[in-house]
Amino acid sequence: MDEPLFGGISRREIFIERFANAFIISTTMATLLASVVQAARTGVYVHMLLGLAVCLFAAIEVRLVNWYRVGDLEPSFKYIIFMLGFSIAFLCLVANMYFFLF
C-alpha cells in the first residue's frame, strides 16, 4: 500500500472533513432542488443554471477534500479547502435568498 505523501491525518480531522463534506453536499442539493422548483414555477430557466454552477463548485470542493484525505495535497491546502467550503455555503445562501425573496 502506498504511504501518504505528507503523513497521515488524525481522526479529528477526518471527522471535521466528513462533516464539512456532508454540510456542503446537503446545502448544494437543497439549492439545486430550489433552483429546479423555481425554474418550473416561474418559467425562468436561468435559475437552473445557477443551481448547476453551485453543484459544479461543490463537486470541485468534494474532490479536493478526497485528495487531501488520501494525502496527495499538502497540509497547507486545508485552509483553502475550508475557505472554499465556506464560500460555497455562502453562495448557496445567497442563491436561495434570490430564488425565494426576489
Side-chain angles (χ1 to χ4, degrees):
M1 185 167 162
D2 292 336
E3 197 65 30
L5 291 176
F6 300 101
I9 56 177
S10 67
R11 288 190 181 273
R12 179 176 169 249
E13 286 181 344
I14 290 173
F15 176 74
I16 290 170
E17 288 155 9
R18 286 187 180 164
F19 177 76
N21 258 351
F23 179 72
I24 293 300
I25 289 172
S26 63
T27 56
T28 302
M29 289 299 120
T31 302
L32 181 65
L33 181 65
S35 71
V36 170
V37 167
Q38 284 298 99
R41 233 175 57 174
T42 62
V44 180
Y45 293 101
V46 176
H47 296 313
M48 288 176 58
L49 191 61
L50 180 58
L52 181 64
V54 170
C55 284
L56 290 175
F57 280 120
I60 291 169
E61 196 263 341
V62 167
R63 186 65 178 159
L64 282 174
V65 168
N66 288 340
W67 283 342
Y68 179 77
R69 189 181 308 142
V70 170
D72 290 342
L73 293 178
E74 291 183 29
S76 62
F77 278 93
K78 175 173 61 173
Y79 301 110
I80 295 171
I81 291 170
F82 280 125
M83 290 309 296
L84 182 61
F86 288 133
S87 62
I88 290 171
F90 184 69
L91 179 63
C92 289
L93 176 71
V94 170
N96 284 327
M97 285 174 56
Y98 172 73
F99 294 148
F100 294 112
L101 296 180
F102 299 110

